[in-house]
C-alpha cells in the first residue's frame, strides 16, 4: 500500500475562519499552476461609465480572471460541517470530484480521523497540497487495478496469491507435500459471466470458499458452485462486482459425458429446468434431466434449429442446474420407463426445420411427461 497523509493536518492548516462553509470562492483541485488560487472569470478592464453603448439585448463574454482574496487557498471549513458534507447524501460545498477524493483520503478503513471529534482540523485547500493528495490516491488506484486484473485472471492461486496482495493472505504453514501442488486448470466462461444479475442472486445465498480484505476495505471473494468458480470483489458500500467465471478442470463437453447409459436402465427421477439465454423471444430455454437407477444423468432438450440434444453425464451439469430454476420434479422409483424408450422418442422428435422458442418449451414438457410415464406417443 502506498503511504498516506494520515498524520494530523493541524500543523499544515491555518486558523479556521468564522465562516463554516467557505464563504469565499471554492479553490480548484487542478494541478498547481500559480502560487495564489485564481478563478477563471474573465479579465476586468476597469469600470466603463459610458452607458451610451450599453445594450441589454446583447450578451458579451468577459475574457479575464478574478483573483481570490489573499490566503484563501489555505482556508478550511468547520469540522462538523466537513463530515456532514462528506458523508451526507449530497454536498453543497464540494464538487463531485473533490468529494470522491476526500472520501478516499478519509476512508474509515484506513483513517481513524473521525475519532478526533472536535479536535479534527479539515485539510487545507491549497492547490499544491490537493495535488499531492491526488497523486497519492492515483497511485493507490493503480495498485488496486493491478490487484483486480491478477485476481480475475487464470494465474491467480488462492494458496499463493503473489506479491501484489498482503503477505498475510498466504499461509506460512503448509502440510507435507502441499507445496508445489498441481493447480487444476481454469477455463473462462464468458457466457456465464455475462449473466451478472442471475449470478448475484445465486451468490447472495452462497458462502465464499475464499474471502480476504485489503487495506482499503475491498473484499476479494471466490465462490465454488459445482464445477464453476466465480470470482468477485465487494466494495465498502457492499456492492458486489463479478469479474470472472471459470470451469475448473476442463472445458464443458459439447456432445457427451464421461459414462455411457445403457438402454435397459430404469428412470428413477425426472426434473424440468428453465435457464436464461441471450437469444429467442422468451430469453430462456428449457431442458429435462433424467436420473437412472445406476446413478447416470441424461439431459434432453430441443434447440431452435430443430435438433434434439441428448447428453449423458455432462461434466458441467451441476453448475448448469445451480444457475437454472427447477420448474417441476418427480420421483419415479418403481417406474418401468427405461432409457431406451426415451432415446427412441428423442430421435423421433428431431425436426429438420427451425423451431420457435414456445415449441422448444413444449418439447421439454412432453419429454418430462414421457419420462414420468404420463404421456405416450
Amino acid at each position: 500500500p502506498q503511504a498516506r497523509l494520515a498524520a494530523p493536518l493541524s500543523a499544515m492548516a491555518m486558523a479556521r475562519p468564522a465562516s463554516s462553509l467557505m464563504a469565499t470562492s471554492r479553490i480548484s483541485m487542478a494541478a498547481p499552476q500559480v502560487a495564489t488560487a485564481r478563478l477563471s472569470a474573465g479579465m476586468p478592464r476597469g469600470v466603463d461609465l459610458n452607458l451610451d453603448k450599453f445594450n441589454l439585448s446583447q450578451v458579451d463574454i468577459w475574457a479575464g480572471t478574478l483573483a481570490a482574496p489573499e490566503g484563501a487557498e489555505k482556508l478550511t471549513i468547520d469540522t462538523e460541517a466537513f463530515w456532514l458534507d462528506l458523508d451526507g447524501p449530497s454536498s453543497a460545498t464540494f464538487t463531485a470530484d473533490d468529494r470522491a477524493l476526500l472520501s478516499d483520503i478519509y476512508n474509515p478503513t484506513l483513517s481513524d480521523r473521525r475519532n478526533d471529534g472536535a479536535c479534527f482540523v479539515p485539510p487545507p485547500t491549497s492547490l499544491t497540497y490537493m495535488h499531492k493528495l491526488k497523486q497519492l490516491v492515483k497511485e493507490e488506484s493503480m495498485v488496486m487495478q493491478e490487484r483486480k486484473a491478477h485476481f480475475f485472471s487464470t494465474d491467480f492461486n488462492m494458496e499463493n496469491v503473489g506479491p501484489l496482495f498482503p503477505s498475510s493472505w498466504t499461509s506460512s504453514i503448509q502440510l507435507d507435500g502441499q507445496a508445489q501442488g498441481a493447480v487444476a486448470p481454469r477455463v473462462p466462461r464468458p457466457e456465464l459471466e455475462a449473466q451478472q444479475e442471475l449470478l448475484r442472486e445465486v451468490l447472495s445465498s452462497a458462502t465464499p470458499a475464499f474471502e480476504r480484505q485489503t487495506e482499503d476495505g475491498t473484499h476479494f471473494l471466490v465462490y465454488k458452485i459445482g464445477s464453476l468458480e466465480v470470482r468477485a470483489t465487494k466494495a465498502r458500500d457492499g456492492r458486489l462486482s463479478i469479474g470472472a467465471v471459470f470451469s475448473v478442470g476442463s472445458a464443458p463437453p459439447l456432445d457427451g459425458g464421461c459414462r455411457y447409459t445403457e438402454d435397459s436402465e430404469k428412470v428413477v427421477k425426472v426434473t424440468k429446468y428453465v435457464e436464461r439465454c441471450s437469444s429467442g423471444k422468451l430469453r430462456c430455454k428449457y431442458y429435462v434431466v433424467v436420473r437412472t437407477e445406476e446413478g447416470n444423468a441424461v439431459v434432453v432438450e430441443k434447440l431452435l434449429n430443430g435438433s434434439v440434444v441428448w447428453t449423458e453425464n455432462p461434466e458441467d451439469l451441476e453448475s448448469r442446474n445451480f444457475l437454472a430454476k427447477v420448474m417441476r420434479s418427480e420421483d419415479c422409483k418403481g417406474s418401468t420407463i427405461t432409457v431406451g424408450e426415451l432415446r427412441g422418442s428423442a430421435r423421433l422428435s428431431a425436426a429438420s426445420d427451425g423451431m420457435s422458442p414456445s415449441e422448444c418449451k413444449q418439447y421439454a414438457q412432453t419429454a418430462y411427461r414421457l419420462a414420468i410415464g404420463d404421456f405416450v406417443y
Side-chain angles (χ1 to χ4, degrees), residues 22 58 104 145:
M22 284 189 175
Q58 182 178 357
D104 286 336
Q145 293 304 318

Side-chain angles (χ1 to χ4, degrees), residues 24-28 36-43 62 64-69:
T24 57
S25 55
R26 179 78 174 93
I27 306 301
S28 170
T36 303
R38 305 181 68 87
L39 299 178
S40 296
M43 179 71 70
W62 179 26
T65 58
L66 176 64

Side-chain angles (χ1 to χ4, degrees), residues 115-128:
N115 298 333
D116 291 352
C119 296
F120 172 77
V121 177
T125 56
S126 64
L127 295 179
T128 302

Side-chain angles (χ1 to χ4, degrees), residues 22-249:
M22 284 189 175
T24 57
S25 55
R26 179 78 174 93
I27 306 301
S28 170
M29 302 271 291
Q33 300 289 337
V34 293
T36 303
R38 305 181 68 87
L39 299 178
S40 296
M43 179 71 70
R45 298 292 184 180
V47 180
D48 184 8
L49 297 180
N50 183 8
L51 301 180
D52 295 339
K53 298 181 180 180
F54 185 73
N55 186 0
L56 288 175
S57 63
Q58 182 178 357
V59 179
D60 292 329
I61 298 177
W62 179 26
T65 58
L66 176 64
E70 183 179 357
E73 73 276 8
K74 297 181 180 180
L75 291 178
T76 61
I77 64 175
D78 180 75
T79 300
E80 182 178 357
F82 178 84
W83 293 125
L84 288 175
D85 241 32
L86 192 62
D87 298 334
S90 60
S91 173
T93 304
F94 304 120
T95 65
D97 291 342
D98 295 352
R99 193 181 185 193
L101 173 66
L102 292 173
S103 295
D104 286 336
I105 294 295
Y106 293 106
N107 175 357
T109 308
L110 292 169
S111 171
D112 61 355
R113 300 305 306 279
R114 285 172 171 79
N115 298 333
D116 291 352
C119 296
F120 172 77
V121 177
T125 56
S126 64
L127 295 179
T128 302
Y129 180 78
M130 299 307 290
H131 179 64
K132 290 180 180 179
L133 291 183
K134 275 191 171 183
Q135 288 298 109
L136 288 174
V137 172
K138 182 179 179 180
E139 291 173 7
E140 291 181 341
S141 177
M142 292 176 61
V143 172
M144 176 56 69
Q145 293 304 318
E146 292 177 2
R147 284 177 168 178
K148 289 183 178 180
H150 179 65
F151 180 70
F152 293 140
S153 72
T154 55
D155 296 330
F156 179 79
N157 183 358
M158 292 187 292
E159 303 300 330
N160 185 13
V161 297
L164 283 174
F165 297 93
S167 58
S168 60
W169 286 23
T170 302
S171 175
S172 59
I173 301 176
Q174 291 183 327
L175 298 177
D176 187 24
Q178 184 178 5
Q180 305 300 326
V183 178
R186 265 66 174 169
V187 179
R189 299 291 299 275
E191 77 281 4
L192 294 179
E193 183 184 340
Q195 302 183 37
Q196 294 279 318
E197 183 179 348
L198 177 61
L199 285 172
R200 287 193 183 94
E201 181 179 346
V202 171
L203 298 182
S204 63
S205 58
T207 301
F210 175 91
E211 181 175 8
R212 297 291 187 274
Q213 180 179 347
T214 54
E215 305 85 352
D216 65 344
T218 302
H219 289 252
F220 287 75
L221 309 165
V222 177
Y223 294 87
K224 300 286 189 178
I225 306 174
S227 60
L228 290 182
E229 182 176 289
V230 182
R231 299 181 188 175
T233 58
K234 183 187 292 184
R236 300 194 306 269
D237 58 5
R239 178 171 45 87
L240 191 69
S241 298
I242 300 171
V245 179
F246 302 99
S247 285
V248 181

